[in-house]
Amino acid sequence: VQLQASGGGSVQAGDSLRLSCAGSGITFSSYTMAWFRQAPGKEREFVAAINWSSSSSRYADSVKGRFTIDRANAENMVYLQMNSLKPEDTALYYCAADRRSYISDRYATPRIYTYWGQGTQVTVSS
């Protein structure tokens, strides 16, 4: 099983980035997928989650209205479109997969996710 995150980079405040996560070795379409992030010295925090059919999603309050999660099951891909980036968005971003096809009530808890990608760095300067 592999989740490969990509698309990070160094940008200015107000810019946009689109992160990608490619999954392999799992029945991708049956998993809830999520993005988390971790800044230096801080705990890993939830960013966004999407259920198997894209009919339901969740966002952290800090990114609502700026970030959008979507997926393409036919390509085993999940994305995170990040707009209006802020310096506080600077972190290592991880994609994660939960075996449940629906979004758990504990969607913001890292330990419910079975598989994790390696992370892609996003740096936003002011």
Side-chain angles (χ1 to χ4, degrees):
V1 177
Q2 187 174 22
L3 297 178
Q4 184 76 31
S6 62
S10 295
V11 297
Q12 298 287 321
D15 286 350
S16 298
L17 278 175
R18 184 169 175 81
L19 304 184
S20 300
C21 176
S24 60
I26 58 175
T27 307
F28 188 84
S29 60
S30 66
Y31 283 68
T32 284
M33 299 299 296
W35 288 94
F36 283 74
R37 65 188 182 186
Q38 188 166 18
K42 295 188 176 182
E43 294 187 353
R44 192 167 298 191
E45 67 169 351
F46 170 78
V47 175
I50 189 168
N51 74 334
W52 73 278
S53 65
S54 303
S55 62
S56 181
S57 59
R58 302 287 188 273
Y59 294 91
D61 288 343
S62 59
V63 307
K64 277 181 184 176
R66 299 188 299 122
F67 290 11
T68 302
I69 188 171
D70 63 292
R71 65 191 296 166
N73 287 338
E75 287 79 42
N76 285 4
M77 297 290 294
V78 63
Y79 305 97
L80 185 68
Q81 177 66 42
M82 305 186 295
N83 298 330
S84 302
L85 282 161
K86 303 176 181 180
E88 51 263 44
D89 295 319
T90 295
L92 191 60
Y93 282 72
Y94 298 90
C95 57
D98 177 15
R99 294 180 184 276
R100 284 165 282 241
S101 59
Y102 59 90
I103 298 177
S104 166
D105 288 345
R106 296 183 296 147
Y107 60 85
T109 304
R111 66 176 178 269
I112 74 163
Y113 293 87
T114 306
Y115 303 113
W116 290 84
Q118 85 291 358
T120 185
Q121 179 67 39
V122 173
T123 303
V124 185
S125 56
S126 58

